Amino acid sequence: MDLFALRRERLIRQLTAEDIDALMVSNPVNVTYLTGFTGDSTVLLLRRDGLLLVSDSRYTGQLAEECPGLPVHLRPATQTLPQAVAEALKGFGIRSVGFESNAVTVAELELLRQQAPSLDWKGNGERVERLRMVKDASELAQIRAAIDVAERVFLAFRSLLRPEDTEKELCDALEHYARRAGGSGTAFPPIVAVGERAALPHAPPTNRTVASGELLLVDWGVSASLYKSDLTRVLINSKNLNFSRTASAPAAKLNEIYSVVLQAQEAALQTVRPGVSTRVIDAAARTVIAEAGYGEYFGHGLGHGLGLQIHEAPWLRPNADTPVAPGMVFTLEPGIYLPGWGGVRIEDDVLVTPDGVERLTHLPRDLEAMQIFA
Ligand code: ZN
Ligand code: ZN
């Protein structure tokens, strides 16, 4: 059985448990996960004893290439996708159908209900997302490849970095390096933030130059094939900050904040093992930052799952309670953001293993290794 069939098999067990006759998968990422098809405007209808892809003639060739052998219904140009889906479902002679409540608009649902009024529509936004949390070997290989490309991108970025480069130019350069290094592109618009702009966790790029600040926060990731990576490093401008024996007060402050963030990440890393709640992992990092007096300056969750999407389940937040399991991949990205001063975030990608955790990203994290223009 191929791996897509295996994933569908797991989902069918879920249908049986929920007592649903069929599932309408309309989130394109989930259609990819379950069939290998990477186009859009295509809905997967999954039943316990069969399936149907409802698509249109633009995708005939791509469907044959990416998911050969799967039954396809091509809707005519005179029919909308919801109309074609409703018609196919009526043809199944079923009573209930599950839909993805986070992927169907209210208007689409109204239309589907009008077209197939006898069906019982059961919304749920987590059926496929729950399966996607645990990665199989082929997914792990693709995530490792995406990380490998991202790390090579960073080495190129760093070696070509000049004091006169602006945030905007460096964001553009990251896009270029991502493709040159073998990725299909960056996984999200990179964040390059100089000095106090790094206090904005998602700073949009400006024309500030690297030379104008003490630190440079870079948050980048790469899509290699379909899977993503996500990392953050903070580079220290040694021309502006001197960490020698006669270290200045600003250098001492950066040193302190950097080491608190690094300790927070390390504390979280030590906590990860199968069965531990995502809330507990978040708390491990959050406690280190709070005890150092910076609790109010760490406003976001500790991390997120990554895979086909850059942000996906599981979520590592104070109020998220998912026991982690072998095969889950997520980021650990504590940060401290001081308005008017700047911010430090350190982000790595980790894999839960049967007996603990593996750090998948290998770039150095110590402050010494982060100095530029020394
Ligand atoms: Zn990131
Ligand atoms: Zn992230």
Side-chain angles (χ1 to χ4, degrees), residues 188 191 202 219-221 230-232 304 310-311 331 333 345 347:
F188 53 90
I191 297 165
H202 276 189
D219 186 344
W220 79 106
D230 186 7
L231 292 94
T232 305
H304 52 85
I310 190 66
H311 297 123
T331 68
E333 49 180 305
R345 173 166 70 251
E347 177 175 26

Side-chain angles (χ1 to χ4, degrees), residues 15 20-24 45-49 85-98 116-121:
L15 297 190
I20 308 173
D21 298 325
L23 185 64
M24 176 182 97
L45 299 177
L46 188 66
R47 297 153 67 194
R48 286 176 222 179
D49 56 353
V85 166
E87 197 174 281
L89 286 169
K90 281 193 282 187
F92 288 169
I94 54 172
R95 280 174 310 169
S96 59
V97 59
S118 63
L119 281 176
D120 182 11
W121 292 86

Side-chain angles (χ1 to χ4, degrees), residues 253-287:
K253 177 161 183 170
L254 195 135
N255 194 7
E256 183 203 336
I257 288 171
Y258 193 94
S259 62
V260 171
V261 174
L262 189 55
Q263 280 165 37
Q265 198 204 36
E266 199 51 43
L269 192 65
Q270 300 296 329
T271 310
V272 180
R273 62 178 180 281
V276 173
S277 167
T278 49
R279 178 176 47 81
V280 172
I281 301 166
D282 178 279
R286 205 164 293 281
T287 304

